[in-house]
Amino acid sequence: MENMQYGEELVREFLVFRGFTATLQCFDAELGTDIGKGFQVDRMLNLIFSVYIPKFQPDKLLSLLNFFKRYITSTAESAYLATLLKLELSILRCYVVHALQSGKTEKVVEFFGMKGNDMLHTNPDWTCWFAIPYLKNPNLDPQFRIYFSREWYDALQLSVRNFFCVVFNGSRLPAILKISSEKNTVHRLKKDIKQLNLKLSQLQALLEEKEAHLIQQKSESALVPAVKKDQIGDVPTINAESLLRGMCEEGIPFCKDDQGAVASSAPLLDESESRQHYNYNAPQKFISFMSSDSICSSSYAHPGEERQGSPYTENGETALEELPEVKVDFQETFLGHTSPISRCRFSASGDNIASASVDGTVRIWTYDPSTPSSRNATIYCGTEITALDWDCKSDRLLLIGTADGRIKAWNVDAKRVVCDLSTSKQFSRVLDVKCSPVEPIFVSAAASKGQVTNSIQTLGFASLTVWNMKTWKAMSVLPLGEDPPAITSLCFNHNGKILAASAIDGMIHMFDMAAGLQITGWPAHDSAISSILFGPDETSIFSLGIDGKVL
């Protein structure tokens, strides 16, 4: 209503400016009788069926219909144009029928003589109608009899009413009314910009405060007193783990990038290292290493032990190498999980991310803020999530493996579980699922329950099952030999013909999917393998062991 009043004021202002006083008076008079404040369906029907047709005004009737055709084609709902053309054909035939029923045959001849060529050019169905003025009883002719019935006339009026109701009650507005809407939109955007600027200033102030606090902590860490080597005997030994925890509590940065921004802190020493005691001079070297501007390392050596990738040499000095700087062009933080996240998987297109938590929930995210978030969802499985994988051909299906031997297929478009499979009771824990990049199949790695040691349930034997994603039934079981150790990770090559599987005994197995047989295998690690992946050219395989080695 506000937009309507604003538009009326603009029209009134224009008429006064141009001096159209008579038009202004008519305008004010019609505004006083306007009830609906907009297009009136009843008025349109009355104009067509009670004025133009009964009074034989075909020019005005065609002019009105042409106006609506221009009106529809200038808007987004051009799909209505086909319906309007069909209604136009019926309305003009209604005019011809009414003229014949009124005994005004000359009006029909005049109408065809004036518009016949155009009508025949636009619609060949008018050809037979040119003979209707010369028929003695056209209402009895089988070709025209239906148009002279009351039922056809009532159905035409109802169709025209329904069409105008849909068109007039739609979201379209005359251009003059959009001025008010755009003005309101500008006001709202200005208000939003003002609030965002205020929030930005608050965040900038908070950032400056944090930076000042950080600089203060750096200055405090730089004031650690140096102790001479001859004072070593007078200084008590310090536990390395306690020292690291103290550095964390005091906010001392462990590593930072070239701009001085603090990076993630390095992991604490393991339990065996925490039992070693060092004199005060050794932690000084340790602090110097951890505060290096160019290196963040997560690998530490035991005293007297050489390890690949260790920052220490034989004499205890640090041997550091420059690592290339990693630049992050885009970063988005997702909030929602209340427990530690155990798995994350990108979809085939990379537009969606699925993350699983140890509390049995799976969340689907859309990382791009400009993409509609209709696929975002939270899936409650009620038990620990042990495996995640997307359908390789689309972003539509997400496979979820659980610790109780269930495999659920989640449809992101329908936002529901479309299939809930169960592995055999003998192999009741799903460790990994992997979809074929070519065929509608996937392979699941399940394990049986092993022995209980120190109140911890260990993994038992392994099972590899091939499933059909159309029927959601098991197709075959891949051979692993007698009493095979549990399979921890699966990976297909680019065409899905070869499957690689890693086990907790450090073995890597290769399967020919067409034959359903194991073609080779070799010991890769001295401990369990947590993950494997084909190299880019598929002439190599990368494996990650729980011992921290990548081979």
Side-chain angles (χ1 to χ4, degrees), residues 42-234:
D42 292 333
R43 291 187 181 183
M44 292 296 105
L45 293 176
N46 182 71
L47 193 62
I48 294 174
F49 295 101
S50 299
V51 179
Y52 291 159
I53 292 179
K55 294 184 179 181
F56 306 107
Q57 299 176 353
D59 289 337
K60 294 183 178 180
L61 179 61
L62 289 170
S63 177
L64 179 66
L65 295 174
N66 289 333
F67 162 75
F68 283 119
K69 285 191 286 187
R70 292 192 303 270
Y71 175 71
I72 290 177
T73 54
S74 63
T75 60
E77 282 83 0
S78 58
Y80 293 144
L81 182 59
T83 304
L84 179 59
L85 292 177
K86 294 180 180 179
L87 291 176
E88 180 187 28
L89 178 64
S90 299
I91 291 172
L92 295 180
R93 287 177 176 176
C94 180
Y95 172 82
V96 174
V97 169
H98 177 75
L100 293 175
Q101 288 177 334
S102 303
K104 301 288 186 179
T105 308
E106 68 277 5
K107 294 293 185 182
V108 179
V109 175
E110 179 185 353
F111 174 65
F112 285 150
M114 179 176 57
K115 301 293 183 182
N117 290 333
D118 295 337
M119 295 163 57
L120 185 62
H121 179 71
T122 56
N123 195 335
D125 293 341
W126 280 107
T127 303
C128 59
W129 282 79
F130 291 150
I132 198 171
Y134 308 103
L135 296 178
K136 187 174 182 180
N137 294 312
N139 58 324
L140 300 179
D141 188 282
Q143 191 171 4
F144 304 109
R145 182 169 52 195
I146 185 64
Y147 300 103
F148 288 85
S149 63
R150 183 68 185 180
E151 291 79 5
W152 182 83
Y153 180 78
D154 293 340
L156 175 60
Q157 280 194 322
L158 181 61
S159 299
V160 175
R161 175 184 293 275
N162 291 338
F163 176 76
F164 284 145
C165 285
V166 172
V167 172
F168 294 161
N169 295 333
S171 59
R172 295 187 303 274
L173 290 174
I176 197 170
L177 294 184
K178 292 181 180 179
I179 298 176
S180 178
S181 300
E182 292 173 356
K183 182 187 70 172
N184 294 336
T185 301
V186 171
H187 287 327
R188 188 184 73 254
L189 292 176
K190 287 182 178 179
K191 184 177 180 181
D192 293 343
I193 291 174
K194 185 177 180 181
Q195 293 177 350
L196 291 174
N197 286 334
L198 179 60
K199 189 175 182 179
L200 177 62
S201 61
Q202 293 175 350
L203 292 175
Q204 288 177 341
L206 180 61
L207 179 61
E208 292 176 357
E209 180 182 352
K210 295 294 184 182
E211 288 179 347
H213 183 62
L214 187 61
I215 293 174
Q216 181 180 359
Q217 289 180 335
K218 289 181 181 179
S219 61
E220 291 177 356
S221 63
L223 295 178
V224 177
V227 181
K228 296 182 180 180
K229 292 185 178 180
D230 55 4
Q231 296 176 333
I232 293 177
D234 300 329

Side-chain angles (χ1 to χ4, degrees), residues 417-534:
V417 175
V418 295
C419 186
D420 192 352
L421 306 175
S422 178
T423 59
S424 62
K425 294 182 179 180
Q426 181 182 0
F427 302 99
S428 58
R429 183 180 179 87
V430 178
L431 297 183
D432 196 13
V433 292
K434 189 64 63 176
C435 293
S436 170
V438 177
E439 300 182 57
I441 63 173
F442 73 91
V443 179
S444 66
S448 61
K449 293 182 179 180
Q451 300 177 351
V452 178
T453 58
N454 298 328
S455 300
I456 298 178
Q457 182 74 50
T458 61
L459 296 176
F461 301 132
S463 173
L464 287 180
T465 307
V466 183
W467 303 82
N468 190 313
M469 297 180 67
K470 291 184 177 180
T471 62
W472 297 110
K473 293 181 179 180
M475 297 172 55
S476 62
V477 177
L478 298 178
L480 285 169
E482 185 178 356
D483 299 337
I487 298 297
T488 56
S489 180
L490 303 170
C491 183
F492 278 99
N493 72 330
H494 73 286
N495 57 13
K497 293 184 178 181
I498 299 177
L499 175 71
S502 62
I504 60 174
D505 62 349
M507 287 287 295
I508 293 180
H509 306 272
M510 302 287 284
F511 294 89
D512 182 351
M513 295 301 297
L517 298 174
Q518 184 174 174
I519 54 178
T520 187
W522 67 91
H525 291 256
D526 296 332
S527 58
I529 302 175
S530 59
S531 181
I532 60 170
L533 189 67
F534 276 97

Side-chain angles (χ1 to χ4, degrees), residues 272-549:
S272 61
E273 291 172 335
S274 65
R275 296 192 183 98
Q276 301 293 333
H277 292 275
Y278 302 92
N279 57 39
Y280 197 80
N281 189 43
Q284 277 190 319
K285 288 185 179 181
F286 189 75
I287 294 175
S288 174
F289 162 66
M290 298 298 293
S291 302
S292 171
D293 288 343
S294 58
I295 288 296
C296 293
S297 177
S298 60
S299 177
Y300 307 104
H302 294 281
E305 177 187 355
E306 286 190 21
R307 192 191 315 181
Q308 185 176 1
S310 171
Y312 293 101
T313 57
E314 294 182 356
N315 57 3
E317 298 295 332
T318 58
L320 305 179
E321 296 181 359
E322 290 285 340
L323 294 179
E325 179 184 0
V326 178
K327 294 184 179 180
V328 179
D329 296 328
F330 176 81
Q331 179 173 320
E332 187 75 17
T333 301
F334 302 120
L335 303 176
H337 281 296
T338 57
S339 297
I341 297 173
S342 57
R343 279 164 179 78
C344 283
R345 293 290 184 271
F346 273 100
S347 62
S349 66
D351 293 335
N352 298 314
I353 306 169
S355 58
S357 179
V358 296
D359 61 0
T361 60
V362 177
R363 293 182 67 90
I364 297 177
W365 317 84
T366 302
Y367 78 90
D368 189 355
S370 63
T371 304
S373 58
S374 59
R375 290 187 168 187
N376 291 8
T378 301
I379 310 165
Y380 299 94
C381 297
T383 185
E384 180 186 357
I385 309 299
T386 55
L388 281 179
D389 196 40
W390 288 88
D391 180 13
C392 296
K393 292 185 177 181
S394 68
D395 292 0
R396 189 170 58 89
L397 286 178
L398 173 68
L399 298 181
I400 305 170
T402 63
D404 60 355
R406 313 292 296 186
I407 301 175
K408 304 176 187 295
W410 176 265
N411 189 310
V412 296
D413 293 330
K415 288 191 174 182
R416 64 185 181 91
V417 175
V418 295
C419 186
D420 192 352
L421 306 175
S422 178
T423 59
S424 62
K425 294 182 179 180
Q426 181 182 0
F427 302 99
S428 58
R429 183 180 179 87
V430 178
L431 297 183
D432 196 13
V433 292
K434 189 64 63 176
C435 293
S436 170
V438 177
E439 300 182 57
I441 63 173
F442 73 91
V443 179
S444 66
S448 61
K449 293 182 179 180
Q451 300 177 351
V452 178
T453 58
N454 298 328
S455 300
I456 298 178
Q457 182 74 50
T458 61
L459 296 176
F461 301 132
S463 173
L464 287 180
T465 307
V466 183
W467 303 82
N468 190 313
M469 297 180 67
K470 291 184 177 180
T471 62
W472 297 110
K473 293 181 179 180
M475 297 172 55
S476 62
V477 177
L478 298 178
L480 285 169
E482 185 178 356
D483 299 337
I487 298 297
T488 56
S489 180
L490 303 170
C491 183
F492 278 99
N493 72 330
H494 73 286
N495 57 13
K497 293 184 178 181
I498 299 177
L499 175 71
S502 62
I504 60 174
D505 62 349
M507 287 287 295
I508 293 180
H509 306 272
M510 302 287 284
F511 294 89
D512 182 351
M513 295 301 297
L517 298 174
Q518 184 174 174
I519 54 178
T520 187
W522 67 91
H525 291 256
D526 296 332
S527 58
I529 302 175
S530 59
S531 181
I532 60 170
L533 189 67
F534 276 97
D537 56 359
E538 297 191 351
T539 61
S540 59
I541 288 183
F542 292 85
S543 60
L544 171 64
I546 63 173
D547 56 0
K549 294 181 180 179

